[in-house]
Structure formats: structure tokens, C-alpha cells
Amino acid sequence: MEKKKSGKLNIRKAAVRLLFIGVLIYSGYTLAHQQYIMAQKRKTAAACETQISDAKNENARLKEESEMVNTREYKEQKAREYLGYVKSDERIYIDVTK
């Protein structure tokens, strides 16, 4: 009779050990997977922060340009850049090495 109880007890111990090992493996996998997901989220957050910073810089540049849009200097600069205008007393030099 004692052997039967001892056998059942050994089976129970083995089952508890197996269950404990299974829980440990599952917990380890879950922890590793969560760390991987967190690293991806950090990378995405850093990329978003960079985009926000770039957008703020562009916004500041555009605000500055919008304040200058009605000035004479700004209009002259844009006419020179996009339309190729020059003043009547200016000399034009053309770089032939290009």
C-alpha cells in the first residue's frame, strides 16, 4: 500500500515540477517578447520625435518667411531666384566651367 502512495506521490511531484517548469518557460518567453515589443515602440517613438522636431523647425521657417513676404527685399529675392530678374546697373557673370 505504501508503494502505491509513494508512486502516486512521485507522479504528483513530477507533474508539479513539470507545471512549474512550463510556467517558467512561458514567463521567460513572455518577458522576452515584451522586451522586443518595447524596443520597437521606443524606436518608433524616437522616429516620431524626430519628425516632430523637423516639423517645428519647418513651421518656424515658414512663419519667418510669412512675416517677410510683404517686404521689398523678399520680393526682389524671389524675382531673382525664380524669374532671373536683375537690376539695370548690375553686371551678370556666367560660370562657364559648369
Side-chain angles (χ1 to χ4, degrees), residues 38-96:
M38 295 274 289
Q40 285 181 331
K41 298 293 181 186
R42 282 189 204 105
K43 203 179 284 186
T44 303
C48 289
E49 290 293 328
T50 302
Q51 285 180 341
I52 288 170
S53 175
D54 291 346
K56 285 181 179 180
N57 291 339
E58 179 72 7
N59 191 21
R61 186 190 65 77
L62 289 173
K63 279 183 181 180
E64 183 179 312
E65 189 172 327
S66 72
E67 291 171 359
M68 294 176 46
V69 80
N70 291 327
T71 63
R72 185 167 192 247
E73 293 84 14
Y74 180 81
K75 290 176 184 175
E76 283 182 9
Q77 177 189 1
K78 291 304 173 185
R80 288 171 187 265
E81 285 179 19
Y82 296 111
L83 303 174
Y85 285 10
V86 292
K87 292 183 179 181
S88 60
D89 60 342
E90 286 184 326
R91 290 188 185 183
I92 301 172
Y93 296 96
I94 299 173
D95 187 7
V96 292

Side-chain angles (χ1 to χ4, degrees), residues 7-62:
K8 287 182 182 180
L9 191 60
N10 285 339
I11 291 174
R12 220 177 239 180
K13 282 183 180 179
V16 168
R17 286 180 184 162
L18 186 61
L19 181 64
F20 182 71
I21 291 171
V23 168
L24 283 178
I25 291 172
Y26 175 75
S27 298
Y29 169 77
T30 303
L31 181 64
H33 185 66
Q34 289 296 322
Q35 290 296 325
Y36 174 74
I37 290 172
M38 295 274 289
Q40 285 181 331
K41 298 293 181 186
R42 282 189 204 105
K43 203 179 284 186
T44 303
C48 289
E49 290 293 328
T50 302
Q51 285 180 341
I52 288 170
S53 175
D54 291 346
K56 285 181 179 180
N57 291 339
E58 179 72 7
N59 191 21
R61 186 190 65 77
L62 289 173

